[in-house]
Amino acid sequence: MIHRPLEETARALLSSAGSASLSQLWRVGVTLATHIALRRMIPPSELGPWYWLEPFFLLLSLFRDLGVPAHVVRDRDRPYGDFLKLQLTWGLAFIAALFVAAPLLARLYHDPAPPMTAMIRALCAFLVVQGLGAVPLIYFEAELKVVRTIPAELVRNLVFAVTALSLAATGHGIWSPVLAHLAGGTVFAAMLWWAAWPDRRRGLMPLTFGKVRFWTLAKIGLPLMVMALLEQAVLKLDPLILALMFSSEVVGAAGLSVFAVFFFSRLLADPIGRALYPALVRYVESPRRAFEAYRSATLLLASLSTPTCFFLFVNAEAAALLLGGREWLGAADYLRVLSLVPLVRPFSMFGLEYLLTRHMDRLLIVYTAANLVSLGGLGLLLSSGPLGPLGMAAAGYLPLGMLALAWGLHRLSPEGLGPMTRQLLGLYAAAAVLFLPIAAWVHHPWWRVGLSCLAGLGVLGYAWRRFGVGATRFLRGDV
């Protein structure tokens, strides 16, 4: 591994984060437009299963990887060859077992109408190509060369959009996103391997293999897998829990709501995190710079997600109409209850990456397990009562694991956590002052939308005035 000066790492972080953000902007934009169109061609009762399949297979992909990707990034030797060996041995065996067990897995979905067994088996093929593509993807992320993944990202999402819309227009219903996902993933993996194929002349991805490192990797990666599994389960919990008890229409409404509420998280959290994590690894001997990187990334994302959350709270019906059409207006109540949930979890935006680089694995397992137990248990309890499906959305406001995460952040930087918390509370207060009067006094729906847009710009202006310049200086390597 090449050791870079801190200023060079900051510049590489800016370049990699910018490239990843551009790619993610395209990806989420295309995905947003595609799903808006799909919802107008496929009703909630038919599209609902996709909102269960997508997070379910995300969790299965973590079992396939055994936590190795995160370890490869923080391992100074970067054993990409052993990661490939893991995919070709354990990965293929695990996916074959899923294929056989598909009828049993389909029983986790309460509504018996969709062809769940067949769709699970089709997405097993996606797990194969995604796992193979993860090897060069991790290489580009670890070396802060995310810019080289942009062509593959662009083509993948174009393939997804064209395939999904073509199939939906010809009456293929729920199979449209399933087959489009498989087609896009295959193209993405092939293009990444083409870009990173080991070549001595170009000096690209080294595929080194060790005699025992494969098993060592799996052993080291297991705690990371558990943490990632628990964290993602918490983020995707709503449709997974609701699918155990309610119809596809309810699952579809929850899926639209989760998509809307965490839109900016999808837009920026992944690309910033992909660039931030290797930078935090390089800042391991500079705790002040490491916390500043974490703080800057968190405040940047909070500055965008906060006005989005308040906008959805004030304009839930208009958002459901825009994102899905009239058949999806039933999602408005769930969307309004869920809309402010991200505001109670600000430290978790990049807290996992930050504590991982400090090897606080046990604390992270406690944090994620406490969140899963509290949110899942409370969600099941409330959803089974008079609140019905809305109980699952309400449960999101009590993530007890956040207490463990806050304690870990305090241990790492007691002098930095307090000011950061005050900055976040100030941001929330500014948003409340601008948005809540609109909710209380403006009743015409489109006047509410217009005034909410102005309020959102006001929140962004406040955020830039308070901490935008500091974040820019940090990313330029000036602090």
Side-chain angles (χ1 to χ4, degrees):
M1 172 182 170
I2 298 174
H3 297 276
R4 305 182 184 184
L6 294 181
E7 291 77 10
E8 183 181 348
T9 295
R11 288 192 293 271
L13 169 60
L14 177 60
S15 174
S16 192
S19 300
S21 297
L22 176 63
S23 170
Q24 190 79 344
L25 178 63
W26 163 266
R27 185 177 74 84
V28 175
V30 171
T31 302
L32 175 64
T34 302
H35 279 270
I36 287 176
L38 285 176
R39 292 188 196 105
R40 282 163 170 77
M41 292 187 277
I42 308 173
S45 58
E46 191 173 350
L47 192 58
W50 174 249
Y51 292 110
W52 179 80
L53 283 166
E54 188 178 27
F56 185 58
F57 270 82
L58 172 63
L59 299 181
L60 292 177
S61 71
L62 298 176
F63 279 105
R64 178 203 61 207
D65 294 342
L66 294 179
V68 171
H71 174 67
V72 169
V73 174
R74 73 179 185 181
D75 190 322
R76 293 178 181 270
D77 295 330
R78 302 282 166 76
Y80 302 116
D82 291 297
F83 183 31
L84 176 61
K85 186 189 297 184
L86 178 82
Q87 296 293 345
L88 294 174
T89 52
W90 158 254
L92 291 179
F94 174 66
I95 295 167
L98 292 177
F99 188 91
V100 174
L104 295 176
L105 298 175
R107 295 182 182 179
L108 296 173
Y109 197 82
H110 176 74
D111 194 332
M116 196 59 68
T117 297
M119 290 189 292
I120 289 174
R121 285 177 169 166
L123 287 173
C124 283
F126 169 75
L127 281 185
V128 174
V129 297
Q130 184 197 44
L132 295 176
V135 180
L137 181 63
I138 289 299
Y139 163 73
F140 287 127
E141 291 177 359
E143 303 301 330
L144 293 178
K145 298 176 180 178
V146 179
V147 66
R148 297 189 182 181
T149 69
I150 289 182
E153 295 268 11
L154 300 181
V155 173
R156 175 182 64 178
N157 290 282
L158 188 60
V159 169
F160 173 83
V162 171
T163 305
L165 295 178
S166 299
L167 290 173
T170 53
H172 288 82
I174 183 58
W175 281 101
S176 304
V178 172
L179 296 178
H181 214 54
L182 176 58
T186 302
V187 171
F188 182 63
M191 291 186 67
L192 285 181
W193 272 103
W194 178 263
W197 187 256
D199 185 310
R200 290 183 180 180
R201 181 174 59 85
R202 293 187 296 164
L204 293 183
M205 184 173 62
L207 287 177
T208 54
F209 296 89
K211 293 182 179 179
V212 295
R213 179 171 287 277
F214 164 71
W215 298 110
T216 303
L217 274 178
K219 181 179 179 180
I220 295 175
L222 279 175
L224 304 180
M225 182 204 76
V226 172
M227 284 183 287
L229 180 67
L230 294 172
E231 176 73 4
Q232 288 299 324
V234 169
L235 295 175
K236 311 294 184 180
L237 200 56
D238 292 330
L240 296 175
I241 294 290
L242 294 174
L244 296 172
M245 299 178 287
F246 298 101
S247 67
S248 291
E249 188 170 2
V250 170
V251 177
L256 180 145
S257 302
V258 171
F259 179 88
V261 170
F262 295 99
F263 176 78
F264 272 112
S265 296
R266 295 186 180 193
L267 178 63
L268 286 176
D270 286 347
I272 293 177
R274 283 161 60 181
L276 177 67
Y277 183 65
L280 289 172
V281 172
R282 291 174 177 153
Y283 289 150
V284 69
E285 296 179 358
S286 180
R288 184 184 68 84
R289 292 290 296 252
F291 186 84
E292 182 66 11
Y294 165 72
R295 185 193 71 86
S296 298
T298 299
L299 291 176
L300 171 62
L301 191 56
S303 299
L304 294 170
S305 63
T306 299
T308 302
C309 292
F310 275 93
F311 180 93
L312 294 173
F313 176 77
V314 176
N315 303 281
E317 289 83 4
L321 182 63
L322 173 64
L323 294 173
R326 295 195 176 277
E327 287 192 86
W328 292 78
L329 279 174
D333 290 339
Y334 198 96
L335 178 56
R336 180 175 287 107
V337 176
L338 187 69
S339 59
L340 301 181
V341 163
L343 303 186
V344 303
R345 308 176 186 177
F347 300 137
S348 66
M349 290 176 180
F350 301 106
L352 189 70
E353 291 87 347
Y354 182 37
L355 269 63
L356 269 179
T357 59
R358 269 54 194 168
H359 295 271
M360 301 177 70
D361 298 357
R362 293 182 179 178
L363 177 63
L364 285 172
I365 290 176
V366 171
Y367 149 65
T368 50
N371 271 349
L372 185 62
V373 171
S374 63
L375 297 178
L378 185 60
L380 278 170
L381 178 64
L382 295 178
S383 298
S384 302
L387 288 177
L390 296 181
M392 190 64 231
Y397 291 93
L398 289 173
L400 297 183
M402 289 298 300
L403 299 175
L405 181 63
W407 182 73
L409 293 172
H410 178 75
R411 282 186 57 193
L412 291 173
S413 182
E415 72 284 354
L417 185 61
M420 176 182 167
T421 303
R422 289 191 290 273
Q423 287 176 313
L424 287 167
L425 292 176
L427 178 66
Y428 295 169
V433 167
L434 291 172
F435 276 96
L436 293 185
I438 300 172
W441 298 324
V442 180
H443 302 293
H444 190 281
W446 297 116
W447 272 107
R448 288 162 71 100
V449 169
L451 291 173
S452 295
C453 290
L454 293 177
L457 292 176
V459 175
L460 291 176
Y462 169 87
W464 174 255
R465 182 179 179 86
R466 285 297 309 273
F467 32 79
V469 175
T472 302
R473 288 183 61 228
F474 165 72
L475 289 172
R476 289 175 177 171
D478 296 336
V479 296

